[in-house]
Amino acid sequence: MTNHHPMRPDPIPLRDALRGLRHVMRRGGETLAETLPVSALPGPAAGLAGALLRGGGALVKSVDEVASSLAKKVLVGEEAHAPSLRAITRQQGADAAFAAACYAALRAALIRLDAGQVFVSETAARLAYQQAKPAADRAPEANAADLALAMIDQKVLRDIAAADAARLPPATLAPVTLFTVLLWLQSERPEDEDEAALDSAADLAMVLAPDVTAACAARDAARLAALFAEFASHV
């Protein structure tokens, strides 16, 4: 008698779906409250609109709490120490490991750049890894350059317009954030220095923003690889 085990669902799209729900509900709730000028309406209409807004706000909060609760159950271990890019390319399930490491690091890097509202797609990060096909026998900087361009192609960072208070303009924000994380992933750092290394990578990426943005816009993998090779040891 053959035992049939049900296939476990792929957790990465599930995580993205839950994160997307949180993102849309948070953005939608804020937009709703800002768009409807309740104070400018006549008395009875203002009272009705205010009640609807309060109800809508409660709905947004309720759905957000449900999504967050589900996400916490699904997202176990997402804050774990990220191995180096060289180590990732040598392990089984490298695409998923890369996507998980990138999600956590990109979220942290975006917060450092006052752009925490931007949506990060872990699914797109995994697709980018599959597109770039990094190899363990290639130089890490060459792998990182191909990954940077693939992550732009796959739109790993989305709804960049949400980050209206970011320290960088929209056209620069994605290349610099991706460069930060890929530079950080090339560093050989102990676990207790993860945050300090990410800070250092973000500082370097900010200084190199014009070069990084131009190289990404030109899809110049050789130039990106040269930047990674020159500065990875400084992280």
Side-chain angles (χ1 to χ4, degrees):
M1 183 174 178
T2 304
N3 291 326
H4 295 284
H5 298 286
M7 292 184 65
R8 297 178 62 185
D10 186 346
I12 292 180
L14 177 57
R15 286 196 287 260
D16 261 3
L18 291 171
R19 292 164 181 156
L21 177 60
R22 288 187 302 187
H23 182 79
V24 170
M25 294 306 296
R26 287 170 178 170
R27 288 274 285 149
E30 292 168 3
T31 303
L32 177 64
E34 292 169 359
T35 302
L36 185 58
V38 175
S39 60
L41 297 175
L48 177 58
L52 288 172
L53 276 177
R54 285 192 297 273
L59 175 61
V60 169
K61 183 181 179 186
S62 175
V63 174
D64 182 42
E65 287 174 349
V66 170
S68 295
S69 176
L70 286 171
K72 286 176 183 176
K73 294 178 181 178
V74 176
L75 308 183
V76 175
E78 79 171 17
E79 300 300 332
H81 170 66
S84 68
L85 182 58
R86 188 188 296 275
I88 288 173
T89 60
R90 292 172 174 167
Q91 68 183 71
Q92 188 174 9
D95 57 343
F98 174 79
C102 276
Y103 175 81
L106 285 169
R107 291 293 311 142
L110 286 165
I111 290 170
R112 284 164 168 78
L113 296 172
D114 297 329
Q117 305 90 339
V118 172
F119 182 76
V120 180
S121 172
E122 187 180 350
T123 302
R126 181 168 64 174
L127 289 172
Y129 190 94
Q130 294 167 352
Q131 174 185 327
K133 297 182 174 63
D137 58 354
R138 289 183 75 206
E141 60 268 20
N143 284 331
D146 289 345
L147 283 165
L149 297 178
M151 291 171 84
I152 290 172
D153 290 343
Q154 296 295 337
K155 297 181 174 62
V156 173
L157 300 182
R158 303 180 182 189
D159 197 14
I160 290 176
D164 54 3
R167 294 164 57 190
L168 294 168
T172 303
L173 181 60
V176 169
T177 307
L178 295 173
F179 186 87
T180 294
V181 169
L182 289 165
L183 188 65
W184 175 73
L185 282 173
Q186 292 174 76
S187 64
E188 301 291 343
R189 65 208 177 276
E191 184 172 352
D192 60 358
E193 293 182 10
D194 267 354
E195 290 193 17
L198 188 60
D199 286 338
S200 177
D203 289 342
L204 285 168
M206 286 283 286
V207 172
L208 297 169
D211 288 338
V212 170
T213 304
C216 288
R219 300 189 64 80
D220 190 341
R223 177 58 180 152
L224 283 172
L227 290 169
F228 283 128
E230 182 176 356
F231 293 100
S233 62
H234 298 285
V235 173

